[in-house]
Amino acid sequence: MPVDLGLHAPHPRPSHRPRLRGILGVAVTLALTATACGTGGSAGKTSGPGDAGVVARLNSDWDSLDPAKTRTTNGYQLVTALYDRLVAVDGDKVVPYLAESWKQTPDTVTLTLRTGVTCANGTALTPSNVAESLRRLGAKETAAPYANLVFGNAGYTVDADDAARTVTVKTNKPYSDLLIGLAQPMASIVCPEGLADPEKLAATPAGSGPYTLGATTRGASYTLKARQGYAWGPAGASGKYPAELTFRVVQNDGTAANLLAAGDLDLAWVAGPDLPRVQADKSLTPVTQAIYGSFFLAFNQAKGRPGADPGLRKALAGAVGAADFNQAAFFGAGDVAASPVSPEVPCYTKVREPVTTADPAGVTRALGEAGWNTENGKPAKDGKPLTLKVLGSTDYAAGFEYVLEALRKTGATVDLRLVELNAFAETLFKGGDWDVTVYPFTPLAPSLGALGLFVTGDAPPKGANFAGIANPAFEAAVAKAQASLGEERCAHWATAQRAVVETADVTPLVHLKPHWFARSGVTAGLAGGGTMADVHRLVRS
Amino acid sequence: MTALSWIARRLAVTAGVLAGLLVASFLLLHLVPGDPAVRVAGLNATPEQVAAVRHELGLDQPVHRQFLAYAGQVARLDFGDSFQTGEPVTEVIGSRLGVTLQLALAGIAVTMFTGVALGVLMGVLTRDGRRRGTEAAFAMGTSLVGAIPEYVVGALLALVFAVGLGWLPVAGLADPAGLVLPTLAVSLAPIAVLSRIVRVETLTVLATEYVRAARAKRLSTLRVYGVHVLPNALTAALTVGGLVFAGLLGGAVVVENVFALPGLGSQLVQSVSARDYPVVQAAILLLGVSIVTVNTCVEGVLKLLDPAARTVAA
């Protein structure tokens, strides 16, 4: 008989439990920790259910609170609550935020700012301040890791007119993704106080956002306090900011699921084997959105690598089933991909009939057509057998194990090297030893522009084109898309998507779908392609 | 050997170990693959930016000068700033140390008290081949508990006592009761091991002539067990306890993860993944010093408790 662990117990818990917890806590803890008195370091008190606050999960600790410097979604999560941006993304549209209106050409955006915006320290935020913040983001000395996602690679200028309340950003080459770039968290506006002492921004926010940083316990929890009088959130914002928003660092999915069930978390992203039991809890409201990008199969196309052969790439792309990868890596929680970007991204085009499961016969046929001898079951060309090195991240280890087995079924000799995520990125972007990988392309804005940064330009170590892709058709289409607006832009983006997939430079597999759950009484929306809670839509009723 | 010469010898050994740790932690930065300057500057940094960072970190200096500078910094307890967050390393480590100490002290207290008490009790109950059934149940129970991995124990405890019964917090230390389940998770397996060792030691001591003599003198039970049996059965318990405590100080990484505790172990894992060398160096040094200190203290206590050693020292 299965043991009822109370996972579906009604919430909140019966009133005797907190009392019992208190008694047990005092008695047992006194007995256990008499020796531990005075060691300090206990976690800060977090808002619990029933409070005016909301407690949300932070999957890991942040690396920096400086919008220009942070590299993690966890950092951006806090940044989005502490800082404002000029525009915001609502669905597939750009909507007003600090800017109430704008005019856009392919290389220039002129934004008219709203009045009455103040920084957390009370000073007014002027267009000149905004311009200074944007200049700092792309400045060489700032060394912001992702400034090019906002402004492109060709450089830019920013001008402000305080009297007219305008800020004008002009890129040195057409870059029609500029407006959407300004909605990204790294383009958050830093107040003058922070610009005067940028070193402090890593841990001391200086923004004009809806919250200020309150009690923090490093590595455990961060309590944000709602600002009184904050009335300049983006269009579509609820305007009902909880008095306290606490982000609690919970790295383990099982622990997050337990905290949700126990009522100690109001909002959490849960993945992995704990997902089904959380989905089964009818007291929780699911909130889901596919990421803007995809996990795509890529081959190292450097000279001498097997992936430099386009025929081989196309053949092996059929050896890896998207649905199978989805099952192995994400327990089937993602969507099989038909484009490098998800359907939520403007100008999305379905360019590939997804290979749900591998087709060994088709792969053998395709290898033969590409000039590979497969007669003895071991593909070879010019007498050289096919050997492949798969590079994988431990974050999605089972997915990479599947890729290993799928490629071995072609008869090739395949090895897998699993490394943690930082080492994975370092191997790719420093020109390491690999032939095949699945790259997690997860842009924070619904834009195709970010894809270009990884599949065009110099190969590592000089550039970020980690697979060494040279695809003139894609590059031409991207250049045209960045130099146009509206439907014309979308037509070029469609061409670009087709060009990069048809050559198997990029083989989209899965749009990961973060599954968030909100407790009863909490309404939530998502940002960053489902990777973050949207702090402007987080409401406790 | 006099107590003074014993202390001098221990200090010399400790100094040697610490010097080794200093060299090992310094070499860490130089032997691991990848350029630390690139790590600090970021993957998208220009060669000029990387060179500037290298100069700023002193990595363009000869190795012996870098080592001297590093040793000087360590002597001043200045470990620099975290590559990842820019915060002073002492702050990063300090913010995590309290949690680790709480868990380690609570864990060792529960382990020692329960393990020793259970071991002595089982030794007394099963002496001279008595209560075979109890002995078999004890052996089976401790084998089972000792074999279950910490993360399984932690997850089960959380599911039953926090989620199911709602008696204790699921995770975190916001509520003092939050320490109970992690303490149990880190203690159960060591209790099983320790109690088995203490039982065997107790049986050995109970079979000695001096215990028989004490009984023959009709000393009280409390005096027999408290004065003659327990101190002699504690030698192995203290040695094992020292090792368990050192392990807990090193970070109960899995348990910290399961109970969302921001301890030193989690920080070390996070810093290793992020190639945050200054934090890793400081953590390694701190843990090394802690382990050396604990081991020295255990040896000192054993020396005090061991009648033979006391006699020699005198």
Side-chain angles (χ1 to χ4, degrees):
Chain A
M1 181 194 250
V3 178
D4 182 3
L5 296 174
L7 290 175
H8 311 297
H11 302 286
R13 289 186 303 273
S15 60
H16 72 273
R17 283 181 172 175
R19 197 164 60 240
L20 184 55
R21 175 193 284 196
I23 294 165
L24 265 176
V26 172
V28 184
T29 309
L30 276 178
L32 286 177
T33 62
T35 49
C37 289
T39 51
S42 63
K45 180 85 178 94
T46 56
S47 303
D51 291 348
V54 169
V55 186
R57 178 188 182 189
L58 203 60
N59 290 26
S60 191
D61 206 0
W62 49 264
D63 53 345
S64 172
L65 293 182
D66 182 344
K69 294 292 189 75
T70 182
R71 295 160 184 271
T72 63
T73 310
N74 308 303
Y76 288 132
Q77 177 68 85
L78 268 83
V79 161
T80 57
L82 298 163
Y83 292 86
D84 288 319
R85 286 145 297 282
L86 291 174
V87 289
V89 169
D90 184 4
D92 61 356
K93 291 187 179 62
V94 176
V95 297
Y97 192 171
L98 291 184
E100 58 189 15
S101 62
W102 55 84
K103 287 178 188 166
Q104 184 184 17
T105 66
D107 66 355
T108 306
V109 177
T110 300
L111 306 109
T112 303
L113 306 193
R114 67 198 305 170
T115 55
V117 177
T118 59
C119 296
N121 66 357
T123 59
L125 187 70
T126 67
S128 294
N129 301 147
V130 170
E132 198 53 44
S133 174
L134 294 177
R135 284 187 202 111
R136 179 213 171 223
L137 175 59
K140 208 173 175 182
E141 56 274 20
T142 306
Y146 304 125
N148 54 0
L149 292 176
V150 179
F151 304 110
N153 286 322
Y156 66 102
T157 56
V158 188
D159 293 307
D161 184 337
D162 286 341
R165 291 190 286 122
T166 59
V167 171
T168 302
V169 186
K170 186 176 188 316
T171 51
N172 294 343
K173 277 187 180 173
Y175 185 67
S176 60
D177 275 326
L178 177 59
L179 186 64
I180 216 159
L182 291 170
Q184 299 195 61
M186 62 287 280
S188 293
I189 304 303
V190 179
C191 285
E193 177 193 9
L195 295 175
D197 193 356
E199 293 293 317
K200 279 189 179 171
L201 289 171
T204 311
S208 58
Y211 292 94
T212 56
L213 188 59
T216 72
T217 303
R218 202 71 169 93
S221 68
Y222 305 94
T223 300
L224 312 185
K225 304 270 185 192
R227 286 182 63 191
Q228 296 298 317
Y230 180 86
W232 48 88
S238 69
K240 298 173 187 170
Y241 297 94
E244 278 189 5
L245 171 57
T246 299
F247 286 104
R248 191 166 172 183
V249 180
V250 183
Q251 295 191 33
N252 187 298
D253 279 309
T255 308
N258 289 344
L259 287 165
L260 271 175
D264 293 335
L265 271 181
D266 294 312
L267 179 68
W269 171 357
V270 180
D274 294 284
L275 183 58
R277 70 168 164 127
V278 181
Q279 284 174 319
D281 188 340
K282 300 301 174 199
S283 71
L284 301 172
T285 306
V287 189
T288 305
Q289 182 189 329
I291 58 169
Y292 292 132
S294 64
F295 282 67
F296 62 70
L297 188 71
F299 296 88
N300 190 344
Q301 299 183 29
K303 196 177 173 189
R305 295 278 180 183
D309 177 349
L312 180 79
R313 289 200 304 272
K314 285 181 193 171
L316 294 183
V320 179
D324 294 337
F325 178 81
N326 184 25
Q327 192 60 43
F330 309 117
F331 295 85
D335 290 338
V336 169
S339 162
V341 291
S342 69
E344 303 196 21
V345 175
C347 310
Y348 162 83
T349 305
K350 182 177 176 180
V351 289
R352 178 189 191 235
E353 208 51 60
V355 181
T356 51
T357 50
D359 171 18
V363 173
T364 305
R365 197 170 49 249
L367 281 170
E369 287 168 8
W372 288 78
N373 183 354
T374 57
E375 281 173 10
N376 65 354
K378 301 243 177 230
K381 198 172 196 179
D382 304 328
K384 200 176 165 188
L386 177 60
T387 60
L388 296 166
K389 293 177 181 173
V390 179
L391 175 69
S393 148
T394 48
D395 279 21
Y396 313 101
F400 288 103
E401 297 279 1
Y402 162 71
V403 172
L404 171 74
E405 292 308 319
L407 291 175
R408 276 184 176 163
K409 283 181 183 166
T410 65
T413 302
V414 191
D415 290 321
L416 169 65
R417 188 159 76 93
L418 279 175
V419 293
E420 53 80 29
L421 198 58
N422 279 304
F424 175 76
E426 209 164 285
T427 306
L428 288 180
F429 291 105
K430 289 294 164 194
D433 185 16
W434 65 280
D435 292 310
V436 187
T437 193
V438 176
Y439 184 75
F441 172 54
T442 55
L444 292 173
S447 157
L448 272 150
L451 180 63
L453 299 174
F454 298 110
V455 301
T456 61
D458 288 326
K462 284 171 75 181
N465 181 0
F466 63 89
I469 295 168
N471 187 326
F474 175 79
E475 288 172 25
V478 169
K480 286 177 185 168
Q482 295 291 20
S484 55
L485 296 169
E487 286 183 10
E488 187 190 347
R489 177 173 179 265
C490 275
H492 293 307
W493 273 129
T495 306
Q497 288 169 75
R498 269 192 294 275
V500 79
V501 172
E502 282 171 356
T503 50
D505 288 332
V506 162
T507 303
L509 296 176
V510 175
H511 304 301
L512 174 62
K513 218 168 177 179
H515 291 266
W516 292 73
F517 297 88
R519 280 177 55 77
S520 170
V522 172
T523 307
L526 301 179
T531 57
M532 296 184 282
D534 184 344
V535 296
H536 296 285
R537 293 167 193 269
L538 199 52
V539 179
R540 177 173 278 287
S541 53
Chain B
M1 187 192 296
T2 64
L4 205 61
S5 66
W6 182 85
I7 291 170
R9 215 177 82 173
R10 285 306 309 169
L11 283 177
V13 170
T14 304
V17 172
L18 293 182
L21 272 173
L22 191 70
V23 173
S25 60
F26 170 75
L27 290 177
L28 174 82
L29 194 68
H30 296 267
L31 294 183
V32 290
D35 185 344
V38 172
R39 173 67 201 142
V40 177
L43 290 171
N44 295 336
T46 62
E48 294 79 25
Q49 286 168 332
V50 173
V53 169
R54 191 174 288 119
H55 179 69
E56 192 183 329
L57 296 176
L59 295 172
D60 53 356
Q61 296 287 316
V63 174
H64 68 279
R65 282 200 189 162
Q66 289 184 45
F67 178 71
L68 288 176
Y70 174 66
Q73 281 181 326
V74 171
R76 296 192 303 275
L77 294 180
D78 171 14
F79 295 93
D81 296 335
S82 159
F83 284 0
Q84 197 182 13
T85 66
E87 295 168 291
V89 171
T90 44
E91 275 182 26
V92 174
I93 298 284
S95 67
R96 306 291 185 129
L97 193 57
V99 173
T100 293
L101 279 178
Q102 283 186 70
L103 185 57
L105 289 171
I108 197 62
V110 170
T111 300
M112 292 304 288
F113 179 78
T114 315
V116 170
L118 186 61
V120 171
L121 178 69
M122 292 310 299
V124 172
L125 290 177
T126 63
R127 70 182 186 275
D128 303 327
R130 297 176 196 179
R131 297 183 181 85
R132 296 273 183 199
T134 307
E135 184 186 341
F138 172 75
M140 197 185 297
T142 49
S143 297
L144 186 69
V145 172
I148 303 176
E150 276 181 358
Y151 66 89
V152 176
V153 173
L156 282 174
L157 289 171
L159 274 174
V160 175
F161 294 105
V163 180
L165 300 171
W167 289 355
L168 292 161
V170 174
L173 291 178
D175 184 336
L179 196 59
V180 175
L181 293 181
T183 301
L184 288 177
V186 297
S187 304
L188 286 179
I191 285 172
V193 174
L194 188 64
S195 60
R196 288 174 73 111
I197 291 169
V198 172
R199 176 182 162 271
V200 172
E201 289 286 311
T202 305
L203 289 175
T204 307
V205 175
L206 286 173
T208 56
E209 290 297 329
Y210 61 85
V211 173
R212 286 190 185 140
R215 283 212 178 101
K217 284 186 192 170
R218 297 193 176 277
L219 296 180
S220 68
T221 307
L222 189 66
R223 191 167 168 78
V224 171
Y225 290 122
V227 176
H228 297 285
V229 176
L230 188 60
N232 290 294
L234 271 185
T235 313
L238 281 173
T239 308
V240 173
L243 292 172
V244 170
F245 188 51
L248 288 173
L249 283 175
V253 179
V254 174
V255 171
E256 285 176 9
N257 184 273
V258 168
F259 291 100
L261 301 178
L264 201 54
S266 309
Q267 179 65 54
L268 187 56
V269 170
Q270 192 180 320
S271 299
V272 168
S273 318
R275 306 274 203 280
D276 197 347
Y277 300 117
V279 177
V280 175
Q281 285 176 321
I284 286 175
L285 274 175
L286 177 68
L287 294 175
V289 170
S290 307
I291 290 167
V292 168
T293 307
V294 168
N295 286 340
T296 305
C297 289
V298 168
E299 284 190 30
V301 173
L302 286 175
K303 205 107 181 116
L304 287 172
L305 284 177
D306 184 355
R310 279 207 304 269
T311 308
V312 174

